[in-house]
Amino acid sequence: AVGLWGSLVAWCVLLLAISVWVAWRIPSRSLRFVCFGLAAVGFALLIATAPWKLPIAHLASGERLLAWRAGSAGVSAAIARPGDLRIKWNNTYSLGGSANATQQTRLGYLPLLLHPAPRRTAFIGAATGITASAALRDPQNETSTPTEHSAQTIALACEHFKPCNADLCSHPHSRRVVEDGRMFFRA
């Protein structure tokens, strides 16, 4: 509800408030004074560092943030730069992009070509949905189940990658699953 940095600030304030409450109950006046002082330093550091002002995604020159989503799995961000649109997860890992959509789609076609009559397909780690979209473009394929552990990532793929992923989220043969792929197939 409050985002990544808001959650961090809320936890810090809660912990500092608990430390003040504990310090208030310390019988030794000098020790209580030290604890109040440390809590005051903590509050000052929190205000000085202003984590609520930190960027959701670090952008390189020429990049712009289109949208972002935060959840229990982390933060996913749709980032545009000239000739490319990609999803960055937790500000460190790129989940594919439109600039290499041809190669990603080919990776999706490979298992379809190796099977004599593919009718049902599944993909672990949907990310942008570009690789999984290969199965949706195959007329023999009846259903495709891309799994993704991050609901935020799927949301960004649905909103920003429609031209690249065969409109994975609205396609009648697509059944998206938000779950760890290994756990989903094991179950």
Side-chain angles (χ1 to χ4, degrees):
V2 296
L4 175 68
W5 301 122
S7 297
L8 176 67
V9 170
W11 276 110
C12 289
V13 167
L14 177 66
L15 292 172
L16 287 167
I18 290 170
S19 69
V20 167
W21 179 76
V22 168
W24 187 261
R25 302 176 68 84
I26 294 175
S28 168
R29 187 177 185 150
S30 60
L31 187 55
R32 188 180 327 141
F33 179 75
V34 169
C35 291
F36 282 141
L38 289 173
V41 168
F43 276 113
L45 285 173
L46 183 62
I47 291 168
T49 57
W52 54 87
K53 291 183 180 179
L54 291 171
I56 292 299
H58 292 286
L59 302 175
S61 178
E63 291 182 336
R64 64 187 171 92
L65 181 66
L66 296 179
W68 63 275
R69 302 280 183 277
S72 61
V75 177
S76 297
I79 297 174
R81 61 180 165 200
D84 191 24
L85 173 63
R86 59 186 47 252
I87 295 178
K88 192 184 259 189
W89 186 61
N90 283 340
N91 213 11
T92 56
Y93 188 70
S94 177
L95 301 179
S98 62
N100 59 353
T102 302
Q103 292 83 357
Q104 292 175 48
T105 306
R106 285 181 186 158
L107 285 173
Y109 281 131
L110 185 60
L112 298 172
L113 293 171
L114 295 174
H115 193 283
R119 291 190 336 260
R120 294 180 300 144
T121 58
F123 294 84
I124 296 177
T128 61
I130 296 171
T131 303
S133 72
L136 298 174
R137 291 180 170 103
D138 184 341
Q140 293 180 18
N141 189 50
E142 295 169 5
T143 62
S144 181
T145 306
T147 62
E148 175 61 51
H149 78 279
S150 166
Q152 328 43 286
T153 299
I154 282 288
L156 290 175
C158 292
E159 293 170 24
H160 298 282
F161 287 84
K162 288 178 185 182
C164 302
N165 67 19
D167 198 3
L168 181 80
C169 296
S170 298
H171 199 287
H173 297 282
S174 175
R175 177 181 160 230
R176 292 144 330 280
V177 175
V178 177
E179 177 67 69
D180 179 270
R182 295 170 301 155
M183 301 301 284
F184 174 75
F185 290 111
R186 189 174 290 156

